[in-house]
Amino acid sequence: METRRDIFQAIADPTRRAIIALIALQAMTPNAIAEHFQSSRQAISKHLKILSECELITQEQRGREIYYQLELDKMQEIDQWLEQFRKIWETKFNQLDSVLENLKNQKK
């Protein structure tokens, strides 16, 4: 049985995160993507394959070229997961703001 990678495994690698950032702006060919990295073209192809398997990017054939583009719906899945932590962080920051405001008022 083949195990499927999930999106969090895909974004765990800094090169893959950089690829996502690149193609978030515009669709790019594998060669155009590879030009931004010190890695071999083959290594970039492996990263693109993993991102494709996780459905974070899709390919589109345009003439002879293949263009990779970001799949925004999958990025929303990451954002939804992170939302639970944003609420926790906001609560902690609000508590810290209250403590700092109390300390500031005590010094007056």
Side-chain angles (χ1 to χ4, degrees), residues 18-31:
I19 291 171
I20 289 170
L22 272 176
I23 65 173
L25 302 173
Q26 68 181 20
M28 297 177 78
T29 64
N31 287 332

Side-chain angles (χ1 to χ4, degrees), residues 8 76-92:
F8 298 101
Q76 287 178 337
E77 188 177 324
I78 296 167
D79 186 53
Q80 289 170 356
W81 183 79
L82 287 172
E83 183 61 31
Q84 63 186 329
F85 298 103
R86 273 190 210 103
K87 291 176 183 173
I88 294 168
W89 296 330
E90 286 175 15
T91 301
K92 296 290 184 189

Side-chain angles (χ1 to χ4, degrees), residues 95-107:
Q95 290 171 346
L96 179 58
D97 284 343
S98 295
V99 168
L100 292 174
E101 188 64 34
N102 287 338
L103 288 172
K104 183 178 168 183
N105 290 335
Q106 288 176 1
K107 289 185 176 185

Side-chain angles (χ1 to χ4, degrees), residues 31-71:
N31 287 332
I33 294 167
E35 289 174 3
H36 290 86
F37 299 93
Q38 300 283 327
S39 305
S40 69
R41 170 70 172 79
Q42 185 178 13
I44 296 302
S45 289
K46 287 182 182 180
H47 287 300
L48 291 171
K49 181 181 177 193
I50 291 169
L51 290 168
S52 293
E53 286 174 2
C54 297
E55 300 174 346
L56 280 168
I57 63 173
T58 55
Q59 356 179 347
E60 180 184 337
Q61 188 82 33
R62 296 183 195 168
R64 292 185 187 175
E65 297 285 345
I66 294 174
Y67 284 80
Y68 286 92
Q69 57 196 12
L70 189 60
E71 189 58 47

